[in-house]
Amino acid sequence: MSTIITVDSLVKNYGSFEAVKGISFQVKEGEIFGLLGPNGAGKSTTLEIIETLRTKTSGKVWVDGLDLDQSPEEIKKIIGVQLQSSGYYPGLNLVQLIDLFCGLYNREQDPMELLDLVNLRDKAKSKVKEFSGGQRQRFSVATTLINNPRIIFLDEPTTGLDPQARRSLWELIRGIRDRGTTVIITTHYMDEAEYLCDRVAIIDSGQIIALDSPDRLIDQLVASGFERPKEMKQANLEDVFIHLTGHSLRED
Ligand code: ADP
């Protein structure tokens, strides 16, 4: 797999505070890459710098061979960024919003095709303010796809969702990757990262402290002699909940 993003010695200071302390990593084309870490670790700052939405203090970033310092406008054309749903015009329905975004991106896009992809066709004439958290997030993911991007960035897309809505969003994200789009996601849910991500970078206090596939990170921990204090259960309470209430896409 070829490299689609390279981050080299990236630093971001806010005044005298070092939020990102010289991190380096590469994202491969077609993978789901996770940035994990506690609140305040520097995940959003890193993401927003790559997205061209925030300035960096030092370091280099290349996206699909484009130098962030020289070609931010070219980078914008090939990435999809999730907007916060609070940024949507409350009076417009989904089709109108997609048309509006298409105008901003100067792209033609069939709104219904996009809504089909995220399972919101029957909500085409509804407004976002009437939506549940899961529906909002699915729509928000749909908006990242409007300019047919090579890479999409998802910042904590499942925070606050119930288990069904989370799983439905996971399937959506996998489906997007299966269509060839590279996905970069931040999350502080480890189960989410383990399920979705091909590789993860664990960030703490502005530094990468581990970077590998979830499986290899787990294997390394086990090889170091780690043992769980309690034997693993064969299922957990979330499995019970989903088993009882059903996997299917419901009113989430
Ligand atoms: P994360 O996404 O991992 O929660 P952030 O990148 O949002 O972390 O923030 C990293 C650190 O930088 C935090 O300590 C945060 O308070 C600080 N920070 C973020 N944005 C600003 C800003 N605009 N001004 C000053 N400090 C900021």
Side-chain angles (χ1 to χ4, degrees), residues 91-227:
L92 301 184
N93 68 35
L94 297 194
V95 170
Q96 291 166 328
L97 279 171
I98 292 172
D99 283 339
L100 177 72
F101 290 134
C102 286
L104 294 176
Y105 284 119
N106 206 6
R107 289 275 177 153
E108 298 267 328
Q109 180 86 255
D110 177 3
M112 296 317 283
E113 212 175 283
L114 206 57
L115 292 176
D116 263 344
L117 190 73
V118 296
N119 240 310
L120 287 173
R121 172 177 272 270
D122 55 339
K123 299 286 178 190
K125 294 285 157 60
S126 308
K127 291 169 186 158
V128 176
K129 66 181 176 194
E130 299 156 13
F131 281 13
S132 68
Q135 290 167 335
R136 266 171 211 247
Q137 286 294 358
R138 288 213 302 277
F139 182 65
S140 163
V141 171
T143 64
T144 69
L145 300 172
I146 284 172
N147 60 340
N148 290 321
R150 306 267 310 276
I151 310 163
I152 62 168
F153 294 85
L154 305 175
D155 201 355
E156 297 187 8
T158 66
T159 296
L161 300 187
D162 69 34
Q164 276 121 349
R166 288 180 75 209
R167 291 208 178 194
S168 112
L169 209 72
W170 291 355
E171 295 317 317
L172 172 62
I173 293 167
R174 281 195 155 181
I176 290 169
R177 189 276 299 276
D178 291 345
R179 290 164 64 234
T181 310
T182 305
V183 179
I184 302 189
I185 182 170
T186 69
T187 181
H188 41 232
Y189 298 120
M190 296 303 135
D191 60 336
E192 179 162 297
E194 199 175 332
Y195 182 79
L196 274 183
C197 297
D198 298 299
R199 292 188 309 140
V200 297
I202 300 179
I203 303 187
D204 193 23
S205 305
Q207 287 175 309
I208 292 183
I209 54 173
L211 195 164
D212 215 326
S213 69
D215 277 351
R216 276 198 294 270
L217 289 172
I218 292 165
D219 287 349
Q220 283 162 20
L221 178 67
V222 172
S224 76
F226 175 86
E227 269 181 56

Side-chain angles (χ1 to χ4, degrees), residues 14 17 19 38-45 54:
Y14 295 110
F17 174 69
N39 280 335
K43 304 182 297 293
S44 301
T45 298
R54 208 180 272 247

